[in-house]
């Protein structure tokens, strides 16, 4: 886990300064999150990066605990103009201080393809949610078979880049496997979408059952 943490901390300043690559897809995602956010929701964000999404969604939640396991990312998030109901914390989903049933929404965007044991993380998220709580995520599904030559080259190049310290762990997930893993963790999937469509960054809203 530590090499991934070090990788993300090292690139945090560059990440914070980089523009969002597809603003239309980002805004579409935020619109759908807002549509599902319960009034007065207690929210946990996983993999918050430099905090932009948590700050954008702050007005739609009672409170947001925005977390990232990379210290550099949290340092950049804390340097932003904050919101009184948003707390940035350097930790992950397995933090023992997070109690079962203590959140109404757990969300993570562009995260779970970077998590080595995503099904274990989904099971923990299930436990952290209150009854009928929502797990909202968006994950690049780079394992889809129709992504073409460019992504085939990228898939072959990543192991070398990881060996050189130029890339983190990446899972080449398919949409079907992603949804199956979420369902097996004890969720009913209530909405899906792709923002953007290609390569598919798969948005899922799932209810704890």
């Amino acid at each position: 886990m530590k090499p991934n943490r070090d990788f993300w901390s090292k690139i945090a300043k560059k990440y914070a300064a980089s523009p969002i690559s597809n603003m239309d897809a980002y805004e579409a995602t935020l619109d759908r999150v807002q549509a599902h956010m319960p009034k007065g929701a207690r929210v946990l964000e996983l993999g918050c990066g430099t905090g932009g999404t948590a700050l954008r969604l702050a007005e739609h939640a009672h409170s947001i605990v925005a977390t990232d396991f990379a210290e550099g990312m949290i340092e950049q998030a804390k340097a932003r103009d904050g919101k009184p109901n948003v707390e940035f914390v350097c930790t992950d989903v397995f933090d023992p201080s997070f109690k079962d049933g203590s959140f109404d929404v757990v969300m993570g965007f562009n995260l779970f393809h970077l998590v080595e044991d995503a099904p274990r993380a989904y099971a923990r998220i299930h436990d952290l949610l209150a009854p009928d709580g929502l797990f909202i995520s968006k994950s690049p599904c780079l394992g889809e078979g129709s992504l073409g030559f460019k992504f085939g080259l990228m898939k072959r190049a990543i192991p070398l880049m990881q060996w050189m310290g130029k890339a983190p762990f990446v899972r080449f997930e398919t949409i079907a496997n992603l949804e199956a893993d979420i369902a097996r963790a004890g969720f009913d999937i209530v909405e899906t979408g792709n923002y953007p469509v290609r390569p598919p960054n798969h948005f899922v809203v799932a209810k704890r059952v």
Side-chain angles (χ1 to χ4, degrees):
M1 186 68 75
K2 189 175 185 296
N4 270 353
R5 183 181 294 116
D6 291 346
F7 172 85
W8 290 110
S9 283
K10 286 177 181 177
I11 70 166
K13 286 186 178 180
K14 182 179 179 180
Y15 185 89
S18 300
I20 293 170
S21 60
N22 189 325
M23 186 58 73
D24 288 342
Y26 180 67
E27 294 293 345
T29 302
L30 291 183
D31 285 346
R32 297 314 306 147
V33 175
Q34 292 166 19
H36 286 278
M37 190 77 73
K39 185 176 181 179
R42 302 161 298 165
V43 178
L44 172 65
E45 183 182 9
L46 304 171
C48 72
T50 59
T53 297
L55 296 174
R56 282 287 304 273
L57 293 172
E59 66 182 284
H60 302 281
H62 175 269
S63 60
I64 300 179
V65 179
T67 69
D68 200 289
F69 78 159
E71 291 181 4
M73 291 291 183
I74 293 298
E75 288 172 1
Q76 293 297 312
K78 288 182 175 179
R80 291 175 175 265
D81 291 335
K83 302 283 186 179
N85 63 332
V86 177
E87 178 185 12
F88 292 111
V89 182
C90 186
T91 191
D92 62 24
V93 69
F94 298 106
D95 188 322
S97 71
F98 296 151
K99 304 304 180 185
D100 289 358
S102 57
F103 296 100
D104 304 300
V105 175
V106 177
M107 59 188 189
F109 307 112
N110 299 308
L111 170 65
F112 293 101
H113 68 302
L114 306 172
V115 175
E116 294 188 36
D117 192 350
R120 180 170 174 251
Y122 300 150
R124 171 64 168 157
I125 290 166
H126 180 276
D127 291 343
L128 292 177
L129 284 166
D132 295 326
L134 296 178
F135 172 36
I136 304 178
S137 63
K138 193 173 83 164
S139 302
C141 289
L142 302 176
E144 289 293 306
S146 60
L147 296 182
F149 181 72
K150 174 183 176 182
F151 288 94
L153 286 178
M154 182 178 71
K155 187 174 182 178
R156 289 192 288 272
I158 279 180
L160 176 60
M161 294 174 66
Q162 290 169 332
W163 181 78
M164 297 172 62
K166 301 295 185 181
F169 172 84
V170 178
R171 288 190 308 120
F172 284 79
E173 184 72 277
T174 65
I175 290 172
N177 286 343
L178 171 67
E179 292 187 359
D181 283 343
I182 291 173
R184 276 192 292 268
F187 292 97
D188 277 341
I189 294 176
V190 298
E191 181 179 321
T192 64
N194 292 317
Y195 313 113
V197 172
R198 184 178 176 87
N201 203 333
H202 197 56
F203 177 76
V204 177
V205 179
K207 181 181 287 190
R208 181 190 187 274
V209 294

